[in-house]
Amino acid sequence: LDTAVQAVRSGGLLCVTATDLAVLAGNHIQACYGKYGGMPLKRVYCHEFALRLLLSCVDSHANRHGRYIKPLFSYKADFYVRVFVQVIESQREVQKTTARRSYVYDCVGCHSFYLQKVGKHTPGTQHVAPGRGPPVGRSCEQCGKDFYIGGPIWSDPIHDTEFLSQMKEYVVNEGRYLGTEKRMTGMLTLAEEELPEVPLFYELSTLSKTIHSTCPPLTTFRSAILNAGYQVSLAHVCPKSIKTNAPPSVVWDVMRRWALDNGAKLREPDTVLEHCFAKSRPYKLILPYIPWQLWISMFLGSLLTQNLTGAQG
């Protein structure tokens, strides 16, 4: 990587592929820390975490030579992860690099996660201060368990929407003779619709398993988050993902409401289940008024996810 980031001229494109996904996804934490300079977390979002670890590693190598990276497209497919980045020479931007990386606190019990910036940049200046935290207490507010700590990872956007739009336009116009045209279009569409400022995601079946509940329909859960005033999208690496800027407390309020409305009961004392249900439950799972354009977007996102999953299989 040291050679690669120096060989590319300023503003040029660098493509990096990592085929050791098992290492980046947390199966071999010692090897991952030695090769990529970060602690992996083997959680539901491990593949997006792997992408962000790789971006952080590439950026750190570029920083040593007065350069930084701008991610254009990052994706996971089959057994590998691949990132397309623009390498730009700028010592001023290199000084802000700590503000683009974060440590991740992930609850051992309920899978809530929180990000802690390594550094904090003051907009309009070159001043960067150490990050202030931690963002959590000694135990999780939702279930009372402690936390895993992973990272640092790249916590800025991993896609450039303009670049994705141009790629998708080219595939639609020129890719009709390619056997993987539908898969590429689906991948680019999902990546384009991801919330850019939201690292990592939740997975509905994992949340449901934590509180011994049936899994809510994806559209119902997304509607509840939207009704609470937050944004939500899918993630291209997982068909049942929930990527949202809602805090974990809101996510779990929605899950508790769904579980109680569908007959979930406390069965085991002094467990994650008991602690989760002991919290307040203000949110009701009612379907809000949603513009027809948004319903169409949600429906198409579901179809694209099914097509993408089928193509990968």
Side-chain angles (χ1 to χ4, degrees):
L1 281 177
D2 261 352
T3 304
V5 295
Q6 293 179 79
V8 178
R9 69 180 181 181
S10 181
L13 179 67
L14 177 65
C15 308
V16 182
T17 303
T19 57
D20 53 346
L21 190 53
V23 173
L24 280 165
N27 288 333
H28 308 284
I29 58 176
Q30 299 93 336
C32 183
Y33 194 84
K35 292 180 178 180
Y36 297 99
M39 180 63 70
L41 291 178
K42 194 175 181 180
R43 311 298 272 174
V44 293
Y45 50 67
C46 62
H47 292 148
E48 183 180 336
F49 202 94
L51 281 169
R52 293 181 179 276
L53 269 178
L54 179 59
L55 286 170
S56 177
C57 178
V58 176
D59 188 54
S60 67
H61 282 273
N63 293 163
R64 297 167 193 167
H65 306 285
R67 297 179 162 206
Y68 73 100
I69 65 168
K70 177 185 176 182
L72 300 177
F73 181 34
S74 310
Y75 71 96
K76 177 263 176 183
D78 302 327
F79 59 90
Y80 63 89
V81 290
R82 177 172 292 161
V83 297
F84 297 82
V85 301
Q86 192 175 14
V87 180
I88 305 171
E89 189 167 356
S90 173
Q91 193 62 49
R92 292 171 62 89
E93 290 296 323
V94 170
Q95 296 175 12
K96 306 174 188 176
T97 190
T98 54
R100 304 186 187 104
R101 299 182 198 168
S102 299
Y103 289 99
V104 179
Y105 290 77
D106 189 290
C107 177
V108 173
C110 69
H111 304 276
S112 299
F113 61 84
Y114 306 82
L115 272 70
Q116 169 63 61
K117 288 281 189 180
V118 176
K120 183 178 180 180
H121 172 245
T122 303
T125 71
Q126 287 298 109
H127 178 68
V128 178
R132 294 187 179 184
V136 295
R138 293 183 62 86
S139 58
C140 178
E141 293 180 354
Q142 304 305 315
C143 69
K145 298 295 183 179
D146 53 6
F147 295 91
Y148 293 120
I149 303 176
I153 62 170
W154 180 270
S155 53
D156 264 16
I158 61 175
H159 309 300
D160 182 87
T161 53
E162 183 179 354
F163 184 78
L164 292 179
S165 178
Q166 293 174 358
M167 286 183 67
K168 189 167 71 171
E169 182 180 356
Y170 181 83
V171 170
V172 171
N173 294 333
E174 307 293 338
R176 57 185 178 276
Y177 300 112
L178 300 174
T180 56
E181 177 193 357
K182 291 184 178 180
R183 181 180 181 183
M184 288 189 291
T185 303
M187 176 77 76
L188 291 169
T189 302
L190 284 174
E192 193 175 19
E193 293 181 352
E194 283 186 15
L195 293 177
E197 302 292 338
V198 180
L200 310 181
F201 57 86
Y202 299 94
E203 204 266 338
L204 282 182
S205 61
T206 302
L207 298 179
S208 302
K209 183 179 178 182
T210 302
I211 55 176
H212 304 169
S213 167
T214 58
C215 187
L218 186 61
T219 52
T220 301
F221 192 92
R222 292 179 64 174
S223 297
I225 296 294
L226 290 169
N227 192 44
Y230 297 95
Q231 296 175 297
V232 63
S233 75
L234 296 173
H236 78 276
V237 299
C238 179
K240 294 185 178 180
S241 56
I242 292 292
K243 185 181 281 282
T244 177
N245 60 349
S249 58
V250 173
V251 173
W252 275 110
D253 280 338
V254 173
M255 284 302 303
R256 281 188 286 265
R257 186 72 265 167
W258 165 265
L260 289 174
D261 288 349
N262 288 271
K265 297 180 181 179
L266 287 175
R267 291 177 290 178
E268 302 176 24
D270 195 27
T271 61
V272 171
L273 181 65
E274 182 189 30
H275 281 89
C276 283
F277 275 102
K279 303 291 290 184
S280 60
R281 303 175 288 272
Y283 291 95
K284 293 184 179 180
L285 286 179
I286 58 174
L287 293 179
Y289 170 74
I290 299 179
W292 64 269
Q293 295 95 333
L294 183 55
W295 278 116
I296 292 176
S297 176
M298 293 165 63
F299 176 71
L300 290 177
S302 177
L303 289 180
L304 284 170
T305 302
Q306 295 174 13
N307 292 337
L308 181 59
T309 304
Q312 289 179 336

